[in-house]
Amino acid sequence: MSLQENYIFWRLTNYFLEQENYRLIHLHEEKHELWLENPSQKKRPVIRIQIREMGWTSVVERDMNHTFNVAENLRKQIGAPFLQVANIYITPFAPVGEETLFNEQTKNKNGKISIQNLLVSSERLQTDFNTLEEQLAIPKETFLAESDITEEQVVNERQNVITYITKKVNDEEQKTRKSKPYVTYGFILLQALYFIWVFLKDSSLNTYTLVEWGAKFNPLIYEGEWWRFISPIFLHAGLMHIAANCLMIYIVGPWAERLYGKVRYAFILILGGIAGNIASFALNNSVSVGSSTAVFALFGCLLYLVVLKPHLYAKTIGVNIAVLVAINLVLDLFMPSVDLAGHVGGLVGGFFLAGAFSVPHQYFNLRRILYGAAMLLLTALFLYMGFDRADEPTDPATANGIAQYYLKQNKQEEADKLFRYLEKSRSADEYSYTLMAGQALEKKEFNVAKEKAKEAIRVNNQLPQPHYILAICYLQDGNRKEALKQAEIAKNLSPEKVYEDLFHGLQQNNQKKPEGSL
């Protein structure tokens, strides 16, 4: 190739890089071929520049098959629904043959790639420059034909390209190094602060405390506490629990934050954690806490990169994250206290959220819409599955314990929510009704207390407390005979002093209204 063709090759490249802010996608210097893309102006075409001798236009026809294949792969990578390519050939002489290859745009079979072939030939250089400027909307007289091109000019133009690209790469690296993963650090800080707050309130961090401060607990979600899909992300059951999750976020988080950008990353982190809690709500009745659903969402969003750009990430991110996911899921299988449904839900949620948000500089296309629609559909499905089980009977033990804890904390409204759930789902047992009766008695709702106490006795007549409550209710009604009878039963079932005092007081016809407590 002559000095002039080499000079034009580097001169055009310099213009698109420096003046129009294109970026280099691919350079094959031995084949004198390069590809450029403009991520900041997506309406500008992808540009391919190649030095090539072409005697006949049939050479162009054969080369276009290669161009279509490369352009289609590029279109899929950047997620563009359609891609326009300006295919610039630099050649000594114009080829002989069908000129329509240079006059009209050519599309591939699926119509998603459009190629405009442009010719810059040495024999009619200024004319071709003018056509190039017109076709690509470049200011007139940007390119002027020069004679007597020297080797020094070619070297200078080439060096300018290399210098520009090197500077661009160094600037991006410095920007990346200076850009701290503040979202990751902020997320870890929020978890630490909330853990300290709850720990100072109750250092035992038992189940009742965790539910009080936001654990995922299905009965309370059924009763309208939807925020329990969010709060478990920031709540942990112990120092080792929060340390393990924060360490994993500290390791994986900056990686994802750098690749997705702060805003996308923050949405994936939080929404992915919520998705995991929704999956847990649908498939798991136990109390659950922890940011591990968000951790698995990060695994999912990084695995999505392997699908998006397998040639870049399959052997790096793909292998590392796949190993982490496999290890964690295997451990989950052998640790019954771990919420496997929440982890898998976070993983799947993070993957689909990443597909919907995608990485920066991606086109908004059908694929992203489909990922978003799939995410919404799965969320709706699991919410339906969870709420569809609201009326199914379940083991009332945990709900009873939490209700009793709320009553001791004087949070009667929260206890009432659990009592409503237990009755509505036909899960209430003798202890549930006893707690309801005691609460009603404390509020001096004697008719309600009597009704609940009778229900407790119907389920199990061996508990002393319902009989005791019933005795007080009968005494309030003036029915001393029934009051004495129930007090005697309570005394016989338990030697506790409170039951004996009530019985003996009634037996001695003490007219003073007896007082007692559960």
Side-chain angles (χ1 to χ4, degrees):
M1 296 298 169
S2 69
L3 290 176
Q4 186 166 31
E5 281 114 43
N6 277 282
Y7 176 78
I8 295 169
F9 180 85
W10 295 113
R11 175 75 184 88
L12 290 176
T13 304
N14 256 326
Y15 169 78
F16 289 116
L17 288 174
E18 295 186 18
Q19 301 302 317
E20 295 205 20
N21 203 29
Y22 273 76
R23 70 180 181 93
L24 183 68
I25 302 173
H26 171 74
L27 170 63
H28 198 308
E29 197 166 355
E30 291 182 2
K31 291 185 177 181
H32 301 284
E33 177 187 9
L34 59 78
W35 287 74
L36 303 167
E37 178 204 12
N38 193 330
S40 60
Q41 298 183 43
K42 294 180 180 179
K43 292 184 178 180
R44 294 294 280 163
V46 169
I47 292 175
R48 180 208 187 202
I49 305 176
Q50 185 182 27
I51 301 176
R52 188 163 192 159
E53 289 186 0
M54 296 181 293
W56 299 87
T57 53
S58 58
V59 175
V60 179
E61 292 177 346
R62 290 193 298 270
D63 180 65
M64 283 180 67
N65 290 327
H66 166 71
T67 307
F68 275 126
N69 290 333
V70 174
E72 179 63 16
N73 289 332
L74 178 61
R75 183 191 70 80
K76 291 177 179 178
Q77 288 176 27
I78 63 177
F82 304 98
L83 195 66
Q84 186 177 358
V85 179
N87 194 20
I88 303 173
Y89 292 103
I90 301 171
T91 182
F93 304 100
V96 178
E98 185 62 53
E99 293 188 2
T100 55
L101 286 173
F102 296 96
N103 296 333
E104 300 175 356
Q105 291 188 355
T106 306
K107 294 185 177 182
N108 64 347
K109 291 180 181 179
N110 63 17
K112 294 182 178 181
I113 305 295
S114 176
I115 294 178
Q116 174 68 62
N117 293 315
L118 298 167
L119 192 68
V120 180
S121 61
S122 298
E123 63 176 346
R124 55 183 195 192
L125 187 55
Q126 192 58 57
T127 301
D128 288 343
F129 273 155
N130 294 340
T131 303
L132 180 71
E133 291 168 350
E134 181 182 350
Q135 292 290 334
L136 296 182
I138 296 171
K140 291 183 179 181
E141 299 185 357
T142 297
F143 304 114
L144 298 173
E146 299 181 39
S147 57
D148 301 325
I149 301 297
T150 65
E151 186 172 349
E152 184 179 0
Q153 286 178 289
V154 175
V155 171
N156 287 339
E157 286 293 334
R158 178 181 177 277
Q159 188 59 44
N160 287 340
V161 170
I162 294 172
T163 301
Y164 179 85
I165 294 172
T166 303
K167 182 178 182 302
K168 202 75 169 170
V169 170
N170 289 337
D171 288 346
E172 290 180 0
E173 288 181 352
Q174 288 181 5
K175 184 178 178 181
T176 301
R177 282 196 294 268
K178 290 179 181 178
S179 178
K180 301 295 182 183
Y182 292 117
V183 176
T184 297
Y185 296 160
F187 185 72
I188 292 172
L189 179 62
L190 283 175
Q191 291 188 92
L193 291 175
Y194 198 53
F195 176 79
I196 293 170
W197 171 265
V198 176
F199 184 82
L200 292 175
K201 293 293 181 180
D202 184 354
S203 60
S204 68
L205 295 177
N206 56 40
T207 300
Y208 307 139
T209 301
L210 294 176
V211 171
E212 181 184 11
W213 291 100
K216 188 227 80 177
F217 185 49
N218 289 11
L220 290 174
I221 294 176
Y222 295 142
E223 292 300 316
E225 296 188 2
W226 55 266
W227 48 269
R228 289 183 183 273
F229 290 128
I230 306 170
S231 54
I233 300 171
F234 302 94
L235 186 62
H236 291 83
L239 185 60
M240 289 302 296
H241 189 203
I242 188 174
N245 283 337
C246 286
L247 178 62
M248 192 60 67
I249 291 170
Y250 180 79
I251 294 171
V252 180
W255 204 357
E257 186 171 344
R258 184 175 69 253
L259 291 169
Y260 283 92
K262 298 187 184 306
V263 175
R264 287 179 176 84
Y265 168 74
F267 275 110
I268 291 171
L269 187 64
I270 299 300
L271 294 180
I274 293 171
N277 289 329
I278 290 174
S280 174
F281 167 68
L283 303 173
N284 185 358
N285 284 325
S286 64
V287 174
S288 62
V289 295
S291 60
S292 52
T293 54
V295 171
F296 272 83
L298 295 185
F299 292 160
C301 79
L302 291 173
L303 286 176
Y304 170 75
L305 293 175
V306 180
V307 175
L308 182 67
K309 297 181 179 181
H311 61 292
L312 289 178
Y313 299 116
K315 294 183 179 179
T316 53
I317 290 178
V319 173
N320 294 329
I321 297 301
V323 169
L324 281 174
V325 171
I327 291 173
N328 278 276
L329 290 180
V330 168
L331 289 175
D332 289 354
L333 293 175
F334 294 97
M335 298 176 67
S337 62
V338 171
D339 189 352
L340 180 60
H343 289 182
V344 175
L347 180 70
V348 174
F351 183 88
F352 280 100
L353 285 166
F357 290 125
S358 199
V359 293
H361 307 306
Q362 290 285 300
Y363 287 79
F364 187 75
N365 52 33
L366 179 61
R367 181 174 62 187
R368 291 176 65 178
I369 293 172
L370 291 175
Y371 273 109
M375 183 65 197
L376 291 174
L377 182 63
L378 284 172
T379 301
L381 175 63
F382 279 95
L383 284 173
Y384 173 79
M385 289 170 58
F387 282 107
D388 189 52
R389 298 167 54 199
D391 295 333
E392 293 181 4
T394 186
D395 184 0
T398 303
N400 287 338
I402 294 170
Q404 188 171 19
Y405 175 81
Y406 276 136
L407 290 174
K408 289 180 179 178
Q409 299 288 323
N410 201 28
K411 294 183 177 181
Q412 295 188 2
E413 185 178 345
E414 292 298 305
D416 284 339
K417 290 179 182 179
L418 291 170
F419 293 145
R420 284 198 300 270
Y421 161 73
L422 288 169
E423 288 195 293
K424 186 168 57 178
S425 64
R426 304 179 305 282
S427 302
D429 62 4
E430 62 270 37
Y431 300 103
S432 311
Y433 287 118
T434 299
L435 288 169
M436 294 182 218
Q439 184 188 27
L441 183 63
E442 189 171 325
K443 292 192 289 187
K444 301 187 183 304
E445 297 174 354
F446 296 105
N447 289 333
V448 176
K450 186 190 300 183
E451 176 191 343
K452 302 304 180 185
K454 286 180 178 180
E455 282 294 316
I457 293 168
R458 179 187 62 80
V459 177
N460 183 354
N461 62 6
Q462 297 302 304
L463 292 181
Q465 288 173 297
H467 293 284
Y468 173 78
I469 294 169
L470 202 52
I472 294 177
C473 291
Y474 280 130
L475 186 61
Q476 181 67 26
D477 293 342
N479 190 343
R480 302 187 63 79
K481 181 178 178 181
E482 283 297 323
L484 181 61
K485 177 181 176 183
Q486 295 299 325
E488 184 178 12
I489 296 172
K491 177 187 73 71
N492 292 336
L493 289 171
S494 172
E496 289 186 28
K497 188 173 184 299
V498 65
Y499 304 132
E500 289 187 3
D501 288 347
L502 177 62
F503 172 70
H504 291 309
L506 289 172
Q507 194 176 42
Q508 294 170 9
N509 294 321
N510 188 346
Q511 296 302 314
K512 183 180 178 181
K513 181 181 175 181
E515 294 180 359
S517 59
L518 289 177

